[in-house]
Amino acid sequence: MRLARLMTTAALLALPVMANAQTTPPPTNVRPDQAKFRELYKELVEINTTLSIGSCTKAAEAMGARLRAAGYPEADVKVVVEPKHPREGSLVAVLRGTDPKSKPILLLAHIDVVEANRADWTRDPFVLVEENGYFYGRGTSDDKSQAAIWADSLIRLKQEGYKPKRDIKMALTCGEESEGYNGIEDLLKNHRPMVDAEFALNEGADGLLDEQGKEVVLEVQAGEKVYQDFTLTVTNPGGHSSRPQGANAIYQLSAALDRIGAYQFPPRFIDATKGYFTQMQPRVSAEQAAAMKALVANIQDPAALKTVTADPMWNSMLRTTCVATMVSAGHAPNALPQRATANVNCRILPGTPVEEVKAKLAEVAADPAVAFTLAHEAKTASPPPALTPAIMGPITKQAAKLWPGVPIVPILLTGATDGVHTNAAGIPTYGVTGIFGGSDGDGIHGLNERVRVKSLYEGRDFLHGLIKDYAGGK
């Protein structure tokens, strides 16, 4: 679920939305190695991996077969299938390093995709189409682009005879786009040695193009908010509607929701957001730049906070947010309600315990008659991964080769990826793809999903170099 393009409308004053993405001319002089990658990418995109009728297991087996054909032994390429979820298998592979004392790196991507109705699409969503400089198809961007790059890189490294210093592990998993079974969660719980690593590279951040197709910023995700739903419930004895009583479950719940709606959690910086608001200053209006500068100096500055948080995305980056999303009440039109419930959806800043948020919501509701429960199992609160020189140095080095002068901007993801599981498990996870796209989202989760061909090939070169820098060896 790639939702990392945080250049909002306010931030794009000088960067108009791409009016006609298909005007970009197709790339020329495709290299032989790029043609081979395209074959792998095509195979992966054209395997339907939707939850309804698709099969991640089939996709995992196809990529596994390619790795074995490239020389990987059976012991280093495993398709892991949970018996109760036979179509939701994952592929785990490893290129062995020369130094057993060096902790591995993990290349993570999900291979399941959002549903796609052929009748609604201009082209068949499960046929890779290259047209006017773009690849079209479900998953071309989210997230089979990175999954294909990871598999292709492991094949290239093997064929090059590359000997990394540390193990390079890869996990192509299922379940990121749906509720229920999740492949990386299962691997972490039941097969931890297969995916254990010092840190992981994942989706969650891209690059942004302006309307002329010029690279504007390259994003690096360092942390994501934790998704948590709370159920609020008020119960009363009820009675006949002709005899209203003082206590009414609907009114009580409504009053509590009003108080929650008026409350704002305090702002807090992490490395990623402080870096973002520092580096974005030259790219926004003068008023916004001044507010960002003041906010970086003092996050409690009321005037600066008001200006910056007027943008909903920026507000979400700075604080935990909670909002009512569903309500249900009553059992008959002529009866007093015996029960009223609401769902409050929270996106919690990394490192903030879920129970702390729950307690604050109950305090703000200020009514002991309102019961608060977790709508689902709480995710483990985990600190955001640090943007150390060891992480940022290779990114800066490889980016400079392809996009000299393009700034690298750290971000906090306000949506969600599988990084929420690896971070919580103690594996710092960074979103970095090097794949540049338009500010309109390129149809991710919607119709006619696409990725620019040039961007995909460049992202492939970027990530391949990045893997080598992180893994060491020769």
Side-chain angles (χ1 to χ4, degrees):
M1 184 183 296
R2 187 173 295 159
L3 296 172
R5 287 173 190 158
L6 300 181
M7 298 285 285
T8 62
T9 301
L12 289 170
L13 294 177
L15 306 173
V17 173
M18 297 177 74
N20 186 353
Q22 294 187 8
T23 60
T24 304
T28 58
N29 301 323
V30 174
R31 304 190 313 250
D33 64 292
Q34 291 172 334
K36 289 182 180 179
F37 165 72
R38 189 187 188 283
E39 293 174 4
L40 181 153
Y41 179 58
K42 174 180 171 65
E43 180 180 24
L44 185 58
V45 169
E46 294 187 350
I47 298 174
N48 187 324
T49 54
T50 58
L51 180 63
S52 60
I53 63 171
S55 174
C56 287
T57 303
K58 182 179 178 181
E61 289 172 344
M63 295 300 103
R66 285 181 174 269
L67 290 173
R68 295 185 193 97
Y72 281 84
E74 290 285 340
D76 292 343
V77 181
K78 298 291 185 182
V79 176
V80 180
V81 182
E82 207 284 327
K84 294 181 180 179
H85 300 273
R87 294 187 293 111
E88 298 170 66
S90 301
L91 175 65
V92 182
V94 59
L95 178 61
R96 304 287 178 181
T98 59
D99 181 6
K101 294 182 180 179
S102 295
K103 291 197 68 176
I105 62 172
L106 174 64
L107 311 177
L108 177 63
H110 68 87
I111 51 177
D112 61 315
V113 296
V114 170
E115 303 290 335
N117 183 2
R118 174 65 184 94
D120 297 333
W121 282 56
T122 303
R123 309 159 191 83
D124 189 329
F126 296 105
V127 173
L128 184 69
V129 175
E130 183 174 354
E131 185 176 299
N132 296 331
Y134 282 79
F135 286 125
Y136 286 86
R138 175 57 88 218
T140 49
S141 180
D142 186 16
D143 182 31
K144 290 182 176 179
S145 55
Q146 193 163 33
I149 288 172
W150 291 151
D152 171 74
S153 281
L154 285 189
I155 291 170
R156 293 168 70 190
L157 292 172
K158 178 63 98 174
Q159 292 174 339
E160 292 169 5
Y162 179 73
K163 303 293 184 183
K165 183 177 180 181
R166 64 168 96 211
D167 286 358
I168 303 172
K169 297 181 178 180
M170 179 185 74
L172 307 184
T173 64
C174 198
E176 197 270 358
E177 298 290 11
S178 58
E179 295 297 323
Y181 176 79
N182 182 280
I184 189 60
E185 193 173 21
D186 179 36
L187 290 169
L188 289 165
K189 181 179 180 181
N190 299 310
H191 309 278
R192 179 65 182 255
M194 297 177 73
V195 294
D196 199 25
E198 182 177 348
F199 64 93
L201 304 180
N202 185 34
E203 63 166 339
D206 301 302
L208 183 71
L209 300 170
D210 65 15
E211 68 171 347
Q212 286 77 41
K214 179 178 174 57
E215 294 81 8
V216 178
V217 295
L218 175 64
E219 299 165 340
V220 177
Q221 178 216 337
E224 57 188 73
K225 299 180 88 172
V226 175
Y227 179 109
Q228 184 64 51
D229 289 306
F230 296 95
T231 301
L232 282 60
T233 306
V234 179
T235 57
N236 282 328
H240 201 285
S241 62
S242 66
R243 297 192 298 272
Q245 303 173 21
N248 183 295
I250 292 177
Y251 296 153
Q252 286 179 278
L253 181 63
S254 297
L257 291 175
D258 278 344
R259 288 188 284 270
I260 289 172
Y263 176 75
Q264 288 193 317
F265 284 81
R268 176 166 65 84
F269 277 134
I270 64 172
D271 282 355
T273 50
K274 193 165 190 177
Y276 176 87
F277 286 108
T278 298
Q279 295 189 41
M280 282 301 297
Q281 292 171 28
R283 297 166 184 87
V284 296
S285 71
E287 179 187 11
Q288 291 166 335
M292 287 180 178
K293 183 176 181 180
L295 199 66
V296 169
N298 175 18
I299 198 169
Q300 302 299 333
D301 185 308
L305 196 61
K306 182 178 180 181
T307 298
V308 172
T309 58
D311 185 293
M313 181 61 76
W314 291 344
N315 180 63
S316 183
M317 292 174 66
L318 284 169
R319 52 167 48 105
T320 292
T321 60
C322 294
V323 61
T325 55
M326 298 174 65
V327 293
S328 176
H331 60 285
N334 58 352
L336 299 175
Q338 296 173 354
R339 176 182 294 268
T341 64
N343 186 85
V344 172
N345 175 251
C346 295
R347 306 299 178 115
I348 303 170
L349 284 179
T352 303
V354 170
E355 285 297 325
E356 180 181 306
V357 175
K358 177 185 172 185
K360 174 54 71 173
L361 290 176
E363 176 188 328
V364 172
D367 186 347
V370 181
F372 284 77
T373 57
L374 298 177
H376 48 80
E377 184 180 355
K379 304 296 183 185
T380 303
S382 58
L387 292 170
T388 63
I391 293 296
M392 293 304 295
I395 293 174
T396 302
K397 171 188 169 184
Q398 293 299 328
K401 294 179 181 179
L402 290 161
W403 314 291
V406 173
I408 299 170
V409 177
I411 64 166
L412 167 69
L413 187 66
T414 58
T417 74
D418 277 335
V420 70
H421 302 294
T422 45
N423 275 314
I427 302 174
T429 302
Y430 301 90
V432 55
T433 69
I435 301 173
F436 284 75
S439 60
D440 61 355
D442 289 339
I444 293 173
H445 286 207
L447 296 178
N448 305 312
E449 182 179 347
R450 66 187 184 274
V451 65
R452 193 174 71 157
V453 176
K454 178 177 182 288
S455 293
L456 182 62
Y457 288 153
E458 287 183 348
R460 172 179 177 260
D461 288 342
F462 168 76
L463 290 175
H464 191 66
L466 196 60
I467 293 169
K468 285 187 169 183
D469 281 350
Y470 285 141
K474 57 184 178 180

